[in-house]
Coordinates of all heavy atoms in Angstrom, one line a residue:
M1 N 49.3 49.3 44.4 CA 50.3 48.6 43.5 C 51.0 49.6 42.7 O 50.6 50.8 42.6 CB 49.5 47.6 42.6 CG 48.4 48.4 41.7 SD 47.7 47.2 40.5 CE 49.0 47.2 39.3
F2 N 52.0 49.2 42.1 CA 52.7 50.0 41.0 C 53.1 49.1 40.0 O 53.3 47.9 40.1 CB 53.9 50.7 41.7 CG 55.0 49.8 42.2 CD1 56.1 49.6 41.5 CD2 54.8 49.3 43.5 CE1 57.1 48.8 42.1 CE2 55.8 48.4 44.1 CZ 57.0 48.2 43.3
V3 N 53.4 49.8 38.8 CA 53.9 49.0 37.6 C 55.2 49.7 37.1 O 55.3 50.9 37.0 CB 52.8 49.1 36.5 CG1 53.2 48.4 35.2 CG2 51.5 48.5 37.0
V4 N 56.1 48.8 36.7 CA 57.4 49.2 36.2 C 57.4 48.7 34.8 O 57.2 47.5 34.5 CB 58.6 48.7 37.0 CG1 59.9 49.1 36.4 CG2 58.5 49.1 38.4
R5 N 57.7 49.6 33.8 CA 57.9 49.2 32.4 C 59.4 49.1 32.1 O 60.1 50.1 31.9 CB 57.3 50.2 31.5 CG 57.3 49.8 30.0 CD 56.8 50.8 29.1 NE 55.7 51.6 29.7 CZ 55.0 52.3 29.0 NH1 55.2 52.6 27.7 NH2 53.9 53.0 29.5
R6 N 59.9 47.9 32.2 CA 61.3 47.6 31.8 C 61.3 46.2 31.1 O 61.1 45.2 31.8 CB 62.3 47.5 33.0 CG 62.6 48.8 33.7 CD 63.5 49.7 32.9 NE 63.8 50.9 33.5 CZ 63.0 52.0 33.7 NH1 61.8 52.1 33.2 NH2 63.4 53.0 34.4
N7 N 61.6 46.1 29.8 CA 61.5 44.8 29.1 C 60.1 44.2 29.5 O 60.1 43.1 29.9 CB 62.7 43.9 29.5 CG 64.0 44.5 29.2 OD1 64.1 45.1 28.1 ND2 64.9 44.4 30.1
G8 N 59.1 44.9 29.3 CA 57.7 44.5 29.6 C 57.1 45.2 30.8 O 57.8 46.1 31.3
L9 N 56.0 44.8 31.2 CA 55.4 45.5 32.4 C 55.5 44.5 33.6 O 55.1 43.3 33.4 CB 53.9 45.8 32.1 CG 53.7 46.8 31.0 CD1 52.2 46.9 30.7 CD2 54.3 48.2 31.3
H10 N 55.8 45.1 34.7 CA 55.9 44.3 36.0 C 55.2 45.0 37.0 O 55.4 46.1 37.4 CB 57.4 44.2 36.4 CG 58.3 43.6 35.3 ND1 58.4 42.3 34.9 CD2 59.1 44.2 34.3 CE1 59.2 42.1 33.9 NE2 59.6 43.3 33.4
A11 N 54.1 44.3 37.5 CA 53.3 44.9 38.5 C 53.5 44.3 39.8 O 53.5 43.1 39.9 CB 51.7 44.8 38.1
W12 N 53.6 45.1 40.8 CA 53.9 44.6 42.2 C 53.0 45.3 43.2 O 52.6 46.4 43.1 CB 55.4 45.0 42.5 CG 56.3 44.4 41.6 CD1 57.0 45.0 40.7 CD2 56.7 43.0 41.5 NE1 57.8 44.1 39.9 CE2 57.6 42.9 40.4 CE3 56.3 41.9 42.1 CZ2 58.1 41.6 39.9 CZ3 56.8 40.6 41.7 CH2 57.8 40.6 40.7
R13 N 52.7 44.6 44.3 CA 52.0 45.3 45.5 C 52.9 46.2 46.1 O 54.1 46.0 46.3 CB 51.5 44.2 46.4 CG 50.3 43.5 45.9 CD 49.7 42.8 47.1 NE 48.6 42.0 46.4 CZ 47.9 41.0 47.2 NH1 48.0 41.0 48.5 NH2 47.0 40.4 46.6
K14 N 52.4 47.4 46.5 CA 53.2 48.4 47.0 C 53.4 48.2 48.5 O 53.0 49.0 49.4 CB 52.5 49.8 46.8 CG 53.3 51.0 47.0 CD 52.7 52.3 46.5 CE 51.2 52.5 46.7 NZ 50.7 53.7 46.3
A15 N 54.0 47.0 48.9 CA 54.2 46.6 50.3 C 55.5 45.9 50.3 O 55.8 44.9 49.6 CB 53.1 45.8 50.8
C16 N 56.5 46.3 51.2 CA 57.8 45.7 51.3 C 57.7 44.5 52.1 O 57.0 44.5 53.2 CB 58.7 46.7 52.0 SG 60.4 46.2 52.2
P17 N 58.4 43.4 51.7 CA 58.4 42.2 52.6 C 59.2 42.3 53.8 O 59.0 41.4 54.7 CB 59.0 41.1 51.6 CG 59.9 42.0 50.7 CD 59.1 43.3 50.5
H18 N 60.0 43.4 54.0 CA 60.8 43.5 55.2 C 59.8 43.8 56.4 O 59.9 43.1 57.4 CB 61.7 44.6 55.1 CG 62.6 44.9 56.3 ND1 62.9 46.1 56.7 CD2 63.1 44.0 57.2 CE1 63.7 46.0 57.8 NE2 63.8 44.8 58.1
W19 N 59.0 44.7 56.2 CA 58.0 45.1 57.2 C 56.6 45.2 56.6 O 56.5 46.0 55.6 CB 58.3 46.4 58.0 CG 59.3 46.4 59.0 CD1 60.1 45.3 59.4 CD2 59.8 47.5 59.8 NE1 60.9 45.7 60.4 CE2 60.8 47.0 60.6 CE3 59.5 48.8 59.8 CZ2 61.4 47.8 61.5 CZ3 60.2 49.6 60.7 CH2 61.1 49.1 61.5
A20 N 55.7 44.4 57.0 CA 54.4 44.3 56.4 C 53.8 45.6 56.3 O 53.8 46.4 57.2 CB 53.5 43.3 57.1
N21 N 53.1 45.8 55.1 CA 52.4 47.0 54.9 C 53.2 48.3 54.8 O 52.5 49.4 54.9 CB 51.2 47.1 55.8 CG 50.3 45.9 55.6 OD1 50.0 45.4 54.6 ND2 49.8 45.4 56.7
T22 N 54.5 48.2 54.7 CA 55.3 49.5 54.6 C 55.2 50.0 53.2 O 55.5 49.2 52.2 CB 56.7 49.2 55.0 OG1 56.8 48.7 56.3 CG2 57.5 50.4 54.8
S23 N 54.7 51.2 53.0 CA 54.7 51.8 51.6 C 56.2 52.0 51.2 O 57.1 52.3 52.0 CB 54.0 53.1 51.7 OG 54.0 53.7 50.4
M24 N 56.4 51.8 50.0 CA 57.8 51.8 49.4 C 58.3 53.0 48.7 O 59.4 53.2 48.6 CB 57.9 50.5 48.5 CG 57.6 49.3 49.2 SD 57.8 47.9 48.0 CE 59.4 47.9 47.5
A25 N 57.4 53.8 48.2 CA 57.8 55.0 47.3 C 58.6 56.0 48.1 O 58.3 56.3 49.2 CB 56.5 55.6 46.8
W26 N 59.5 56.5 47.3 CA 60.4 57.6 47.9 C 59.5 58.9 47.9 O 59.7 59.7 48.9 CB 61.5 57.9 46.9 CG 62.5 56.7 47.0 CD1 62.7 55.7 46.1 CD2 63.6 56.7 47.9 NE1 63.7 54.9 46.5 CE2 64.3 55.5 47.5 CE3 64.1 57.4 48.9 CZ2 65.4 55.0 48.3 CZ3 65.2 57.0 49.6 CH2 65.8 55.8 49.3
R27 N 58.7 59.1 46.9 CA 57.8 60.2 46.8 C 56.7 59.6 45.8 O 56.8 58.5 45.3 CB 58.3 61.5 46.3 CG 59.0 61.4 44.9 CD 59.6 62.7 44.5 NE 60.0 62.6 43.1 CZ 61.2 62.0 42.7 NH1 61.9 61.4 43.5 NH2 61.4 61.9 41.4
K28 N 55.7 60.4 45.6 CA 54.6 59.9 44.7 C 55.1 59.3 43.4 O 55.9 60.0 42.7 CB 53.7 61.0 44.4 CG 52.4 60.5 43.7 CD 51.5 61.7 43.4 CE 50.1 61.3 42.9 NZ 50.1 60.5 41.8
D29 N 54.8 58.0 43.2 CA 55.1 57.3 41.9 C 56.7 57.2 41.8 O 57.1 57.0 40.6 CB 54.6 58.0 40.7 CG 53.0 58.0 40.7 OD1 52.4 57.1 41.4 OD2 52.4 58.9 40.3
A30 N 57.5 57.2 42.8 CA 58.9 57.0 42.7 C 59.3 55.7 43.4 O 59.4 55.7 44.6 CB 59.7 58.2 43.2
F31 N 59.7 54.7 42.6 CA 60.0 53.4 43.2 C 61.4 52.9 42.8 O 61.8 51.9 43.3 CB 58.9 52.3 42.8 CG 57.6 52.6 43.3 CD1 56.7 53.4 42.6 CD2 57.2 52.1 44.5 CE1 55.4 53.6 43.1 CE2 55.9 52.3 45.1 CZ 55.1 53.2 44.4
L32 N 62.1 53.5 41.9 CA 63.2 53.0 41.4 C 64.6 53.7 42.0 O 64.4 54.9 42.4 CB 63.2 53.1 39.8 CG 62.2 52.4 39.1 CD1 62.2 52.6 37.6 CD2 62.1 50.9 39.5
N33 N 65.7 53.1 41.9 CA 67.0 53.7 42.1 C 67.2 54.8 41.0 O 66.6 54.8 40.0 CB 68.1 52.6 42.3 CG 68.3 51.9 41.1 OD1 67.6 52.0 40.1 ND2 69.4 51.1 41.1
P34 N 68.4 55.6 41.3 CA 68.5 56.7 40.4 C 68.8 56.3 38.9 O 68.4 57.0 38.0 CB 69.8 57.3 40.9 CG 69.8 57.0 42.5 CD 69.2 55.6 42.4
D35 N 69.4 55.1 38.7 CA 69.7 54.7 37.3 C 68.5 53.8 36.7 O 68.6 53.3 35.7 CB 71.0 54.0 37.1 CG 71.2 52.7 37.9 OD1 70.3 52.3 38.6 OD2 72.3 52.2 37.9
G36 N 67.5 53.6 37.5 CA 66.3 52.9 37.0 C 66.4 51.4 36.8 O 65.7 50.8 36.1
T37 N 67.5 50.8 37.5 CA 67.7 49.4 37.4 C 67.1 48.5 38.4 O 67.1 47.3 38.3 CB 69.2 49.1 37.3 OG1 69.8 49.6 38.5 CG2 69.9 49.9 36.0
R38 N 66.7 49.1 39.5 CA 66.2 48.3 40.6 C 65.0 49.0 41.3 O 64.9 50.3 41.3 CB 67.3 48.2 41.7 CG 68.5 47.4 41.4 CD 68.4 45.9 41.5 NE 69.5 45.3 41.1 CZ 69.6 44.1 40.6 NH1 68.5 43.3 40.6 NH2 70.7 43.5 40.3
I39 N 64.2 48.3 41.9 CA 63.1 48.8 42.8 C 63.7 49.0 44.2 O 64.4 48.1 44.6 CB 61.9 47.9 42.9 CG1 61.3 47.7 41.4 CG2 60.9 48.4 43.8 CD1 60.2 46.5 41.4
V40 N 63.5 50.1 44.7 CA 64.1 50.5 46.1 C 63.0 50.8 47.1 O 62.1 51.6 46.8 CB 65.1 51.6 45.9 CG1 65.8 51.9 47.3 CG2 66.2 51.2 45.0
C41 N 63.1 50.2 48.3 CA 62.2 50.6 49.3 C 62.7 51.8 50.1 O 63.9 51.9 50.4 CB 62.0 49.4 50.3 SG 60.9 49.8 51.7
S42 N 61.8 52.8 50.2 CA 62.3 54.1 50.9 C 62.6 53.9 52.4 O 63.3 54.7 53.0 CB 61.2 55.2 50.7 OG 60.1 54.8 51.3
A43 N 62.0 52.9 53.0 CA 62.1 52.8 54.5 C 63.6 52.4 54.9 O 64.1 53.1 55.7 CB 61.1 51.8 55.1
H44 N 64.1 51.3 54.4 CA 65.4 50.9 54.8 C 66.4 50.5 53.6 O 67.4 49.9 53.8 CB 65.3 49.6 55.7 CG 64.4 49.9 56.9 ND1 63.2 49.3 56.9 CD2 64.6 50.6 57.9 CE1 62.6 49.7 58.1 NE2 63.4 50.6 58.7
G45 N 65.9 50.9 52.4 CA 66.8 50.8 51.3 C 66.9 49.4 50.6 O 67.8 49.2 49.8
A46 N 66.0 48.5 50.9 CA 66.1 47.3 50.2 C 65.9 47.4 48.7 O 65.2 48.3 48.2 CB 65.0 46.3 50.7
Q47 N 66.7 46.7 48.0 CA 66.7 46.7 46.6 C 66.1 45.4 46.0 O 66.4 44.4 46.4 CB 68.0 47.0 45.9 CG 68.6 48.4 46.4 CD 69.8 48.8 45.6 OE1 70.0 48.3 44.5 NE2 70.4 49.8 46.1
F48 N 65.3 45.5 44.9 CA 64.6 44.4 44.3 C 64.8 44.4 42.9 O 64.7 45.4 42.2 CB 63.0 44.5 44.6 CG 62.7 44.6 46.1 CD1 62.7 45.8 46.7 CD2 62.4 43.4 46.7 CE1 62.4 45.8 48.1 CE2 62.1 43.4 48.1 CZ 62.0 44.7 48.7
D49 N 64.9 43.2 42.3 CA 65.0 43.0 40.9 C 63.6 43.3 40.2 O 62.6 42.9 40.8 CB 65.3 41.5 40.6 CG 65.5 41.3 39.1 OD1 66.6 41.4 38.5 OD2 64.4 40.9 38.5
I50 N 63.6 44.1 39.2 CA 62.4 44.6 38.6 C 61.5 43.4 38.1 O 60.3 43.5 38.2 CB 62.7 45.6 37.5 CG1 63.2 46.9 38.2 CG2 61.5 45.9 36.7 CD1 63.8 48.0 37.2
A51 N 62.2 42.5 37.4 CA 61.5 41.5 36.7 C 61.0 40.3 37.6 O 59.9 39.8 37.5 CB 62.3 40.8 35.6
T52 N 61.8 40.0 38.7 CA 61.5 38.8 39.5 C 60.9 39.3 40.9 O 60.3 38.5 41.5 CB 62.7 38.0 39.8 OG1 63.6 38.7 40.6 CG2 63.3 37.5 38.5
G53 N 61.2 40.5 41.3 CA 60.7 41.1 42.6 C 61.6 40.5 43.8 O 61.3 40.8 44.9
V54 N 62.6 39.8 43.5 CA 63.5 39.2 44.6 C 64.3 40.4 45.1 O 65.0 41.1 44.4 CB 64.3 38.2 44.0 CG1 65.3 37.6 45.1 CG2 63.5 37.0 43.6
C55 N 64.4 40.4 46.5 CA 65.3 41.4 47.1 C 66.8 40.9 46.9 O 67.1 39.8 47.3 CB 64.9 41.5 48.6 SG 66.1 42.6 49.5
T56 N 67.6 41.8 46.4 CA 69.0 41.5 46.1 C 70.0 42.2 47.1 O 71.1 41.9 47.0 CB 69.3 41.7 44.7 OG1 69.1 43.1 44.4 CG2 68.5 40.8 43.7
L57 N 69.4 43.1 47.8 CA 70.3 43.9 48.6 C 69.4 44.6 49.7 O 68.4 45.0 49.5 CB 71.1 45.0 47.9 CG 72.0 45.9 48.7 CD1 73.3 45.1 49.1 CD2 72.5 47.1 47.8
G58 N 69.9 44.5 51.0 CA 69.2 45.0 52.1 C 68.7 44.1 53.1 O 69.1 42.9 53.2
P59 N 67.8 44.5 54.0 CA 67.5 43.7 55.2 C 66.5 42.5 54.8 O 66.2 41.7 55.8 CB 66.7 44.7 56.0 CG 66.2 45.7 55.1 CD 67.1 45.8 54.0
C60 N 66.1 42.4 53.6 CA 65.1 41.2 53.3 C 65.6 40.4 52.1 O 64.8 39.9 51.4 CB 63.7 41.7 53.2 SG 63.5 43.1 52.0
I61 N 66.9 40.2 52.1 CA 67.5 39.5 50.9 C 66.9 38.1 50.7 O 66.7 37.4 51.7 CB 69.1 39.3 51.1 CG1 69.7 40.7 50.8 CG2 69.6 38.3 50.1 CD1 71.2 40.5 51.0
G62 N 66.5 37.8 49.5 CA 65.9 36.5 49.2 C 64.3 36.6 49.2 O 63.7 35.7 48.6
E63 N 63.8 37.5 49.9 CA 62.3 37.7 50.0 C 61.9 38.4 48.7 O 62.7 39.0 48.0 CB 61.8 38.4 51.2 CG 62.2 37.6 52.5 CD 61.6 38.3 53.7 OE1 60.3 38.5 53.7 OE2 62.4 38.7 54.6
T64 N 60.6 38.2 48.4 CA 60.1 38.8 47.2 C 58.9 39.7 47.3 O 58.1 39.5 48.3 CB 59.7 37.7 46.1 OG1 58.6 37.0 46.6 CG2 60.8 36.8 45.8
L65 N 58.8 40.6 46.4 CA 57.5 41.5 46.3 C 56.4 40.5 45.8 O 56.7 39.5 45.3 CB 57.7 42.6 45.4 CG 58.9 43.6 45.7 CD1 59.0 44.6 44.5 CD2 58.5 44.3 47.0
V66 N 55.2 40.9 46.1 CA 54.0 40.2 45.7 C 53.6 40.7 44.3 O 53.3 41.9 44.1 CB 52.9 40.2 46.6 CG1 51.6 39.5 46.1 CG2 53.3 39.6 48.0
R67 N 53.6 39.8 43.3 CA 53.3 40.1 41.9 C 51.8 40.4 41.8 O 51.0 39.7 42.5 CB 53.8 39.1 40.9 CG 53.5 39.5 39.4 CD 54.0 38.4 38.5 NE 55.4 38.1 38.7 CZ 56.4 38.8 38.1 NH1 56.0 39.8 37.3 NH2 57.6 38.5 38.1
V68 N 51.4 41.3 41.0 CA 50.0 41.6 40.7 C 49.8 41.1 39.2 O 50.6 41.6 38.3 CB 49.6 43.1 40.8 CG1 48.2 43.3 40.4 CG2 49.8 43.4 42.4
S69 N 48.9 40.3 38.9 CA 48.6 39.8 37.6 C 47.8 40.9 36.8 O 46.8 41.4 37.3 CB 47.8 38.6 37.6 OG 48.6 37.5 38.2
L70 N 48.3 41.2 35.7 CA 47.6 42.2 34.8 C 46.9 41.5 33.6 O 47.4 40.5 33.2 CB 48.6 43.2 34.2 CG 49.4 44.1 35.3 CD1 50.4 44.9 34.6 CD2 48.4 44.9 36.1
I71 N 45.8 42.1 33.3 CA 45.2 41.6 32.0 C 45.3 42.6 31.0 O 45.0 43.8 31.3 CB 43.6 41.3 32.4 CG1 43.6 40.2 33.5 CG2 42.9 40.9 31.2 CD1 42.1 40.1 34.0
Y72 N 45.7 42.2 29.8 CA 45.8 43.1 28.6 C 44.5 43.1 27.9 O 44.1 42.1 27.4 CB 47.0 42.7 27.8 CG 48.3 42.7 28.5 CD1 48.8 41.6 29.2 CD2 49.1 43.8 28.4 CE1 50.0 41.7 29.8 CE2 50.3 43.9 29.0 CZ 50.7 42.9 29.8 OH 52.0 42.9 30.4
L73 N 43.9 44.3 27.8 CA 42.6 44.4 27.2 C 42.8 44.7 25.7 O 43.9 45.3 25.3 CB 41.8 45.4 27.8 CG 41.5 45.2 29.4 CD1 40.7 46.4 30.0 CD2 40.8 43.9 29.6
G74 N 41.9 44.4 24.9 CA 42.0 44.6 23.5 C 42.2 46.0 23.1 O 42.7 46.3 22.0
D75 N 41.7 46.9 23.8 CA 41.9 48.4 23.4 C 43.1 49.0 23.9 O 43.4 50.2 23.7 CB 40.7 49.2 24.0 CG 40.7 49.2 25.6 OD1 41.6 48.6 26.2 OD2 39.9 49.9 26.1
G76 N 44.1 48.1 24.3 CA 45.4 48.7 24.7 C 45.5 49.1 26.1 O 46.7 49.4 26.6
S77 N 44.5 49.0 26.9 CA 44.6 49.3 28.3 C 44.8 48.0 29.1 O 44.8 46.9 28.7 CB 43.3 50.0 28.8 OG 42.2 49.2 28.5
L78 N 45.1 48.2 30.4 CA 45.3 47.1 31.3 C 44.2 47.1 32.5 O 43.7 48.1 32.8 CB 46.7 47.3 32.0 CG 47.9 47.3 31.1 CD1 49.1 47.8 32.0 CD2 48.1 46.0 30.6
A79 N 44.0 45.9 33.0 CA 43.1 45.8 34.2 C 43.9 44.8 35.1 O 44.7 44.0 34.8 CB 41.9 45.2 33.7
V80 N 43.5 44.9 36.4 CA 44.0 44.0 37.4 C 43.1 42.8 37.5 O 41.9 42.9 37.4 CB 44.1 44.7 38.8 CG1 44.4 43.7 39.9 CG2 45.0 45.8 38.7
S81 N 43.7 41.6 37.5 CA 43.0 40.4 37.6 C 41.9 40.4 38.8 O 42.3 40.9 39.9 CB 43.9 39.2 37.8 OG 43.2 38.1 38.2
R82 N 40.7 39.9 38.5 CA 39.7 39.9 39.6 C 40.2 39.1 40.8 O 40.0 39.5 41.9 CB 38.4 39.3 39.1 CG 37.4 39.1 40.2 CD 36.1 38.4 39.6 NE 35.3 39.3 38.9 CZ 34.4 40.2 39.5 NH1 34.3 40.2 40.7 NH2 33.6 40.9 38.8
N83 N 41.0 38.0 40.6 CA 41.6 37.3 41.7 C 42.5 38.1 42.6 O 42.5 37.9 43.7 CB 42.4 36.0 41.1 CG 41.4 35.0 40.5 OD1 40.3 35.0 40.8 ND2 42.0 34.2 39.6
E84 N 43.2 39.0 41.9 CA 44.1 39.9 42.7 C 43.3 40.7 43.6 O 43.6 41.0 44.8 CB 44.9 40.7 41.8 CG 45.9 39.9 41.0 CD 47.0 39.4 41.7 OE1 47.3 39.9 42.8 OE2 47.6 38.4 41.2
L85 N 42.1 41.3 43.2 CA 41.3 42.2 43.9 C 40.7 41.4 45.1 O 40.6 41.9 46.2 CB 40.2 42.8 43.0 CG 40.7 43.7 41.9 CD1 39.6 44.2 41.0 CD2 41.4 44.9 42.5
E86 N 40.3 40.2 44.9 CA 39.6 39.4 46.0 C 40.6 39.0 47.0 O 40.3 39.0 48.2 CB 39.0 38.1 45.3 CG 37.8 38.6 44.4 CD 37.2 37.4 43.7 OE1 37.8 36.3 43.7 OE2 36.1 37.6 43.1
T87 N 41.9 38.7 46.6 CA 42.9 38.3 47.7 C 43.5 39.5 48.4 O 44.1 39.3 49.5 CB 44.0 37.5 47.0 OG1 44.7 38.3 46.0 CG2 43.5 36.2 46.4
S88 N 43.3 40.7 47.9 CA 43.9 41.9 48.7 C 43.0 42.5 49.7 O 43.4 43.4 50.3 CB 44.3 42.9 47.6 OG 43.2 43.4 47.0
T89 N 41.8 42.0 49.8 CA 40.8 42.6 50.7 C 40.7 41.8 52.0 O 41.2 40.7 52.1 CB 39.4 42.7 50.1 OG1 39.0 41.5 49.7 CG2 39.4 43.7 48.9
Ligands
LIG101 S1 60.4 48.3 55.1 FE1 61.3 48.1 53.2 S2 63.4 47.8 53.6 FE2 62.5 47.9 55.5

């Protein structure tokens, strides 16, 4: 998974809807276009809205990334929902 901080935190599974289980990062921890306004898949260049995960340009237009639910803990840290962990195995 990866998390983007733009007008809040947006967590997504690190898998492109174009081809199942394709890793998306350009390099370690690099998921955004140069101006930081879109998530971009490194394989074929699909671009995704950061807040909704909807593909707006590329080979999977209209498909969406899979959101990961985060839990905000009282000490300022984050955790992944147990349901997310159970459905990803
Ligand atoms: S696998 Fe992501 S755009 Fe093709």
Side-chain angles (χ1 to χ4, degrees):
M1 67 171 277
F2 62 100
V3 179
V4 180
R5 185 185 323 190
R6 291 287 185 282
N7 299 319
L9 295 176
H10 307 280
W12 304 105
R13 286 196 186 175
K14 194 168 43 177
C16 183
H18 180 218
W19 281 358
N21 300 319
T22 301
S23 183
M24 299 177 63
W26 291 94
R27 62 183 186 282
K28 186 177 186 315
D29 299 330
F31 294 90
L32 302 181
N33 62 351
D35 63 4
T37 58
R38 300 272 180 206
I39 297 166
V40 180
C41 177
S42 65
H44 307 107
Q47 295 191 19
F48 302 87
D49 182 87
I50 291 172
T52 66
V54 174
C55 178
T56 57
L57 183 68
C60 49
I61 286 180
E63 295 185 60
T64 60
L65 299 173
V66 176
R67 185 180 298 278
V68 175
S69 298
L70 298 175
I71 299 170
Y72 297 87
L73 303 177
D75 63 358
S77 61
L78 298 170
V80 175
S81 165
R82 175 180 280 280
N83 291 339
E84 296 290 339
L85 296 174
E86 291 172 350
T87 58
S88 65
T89 56

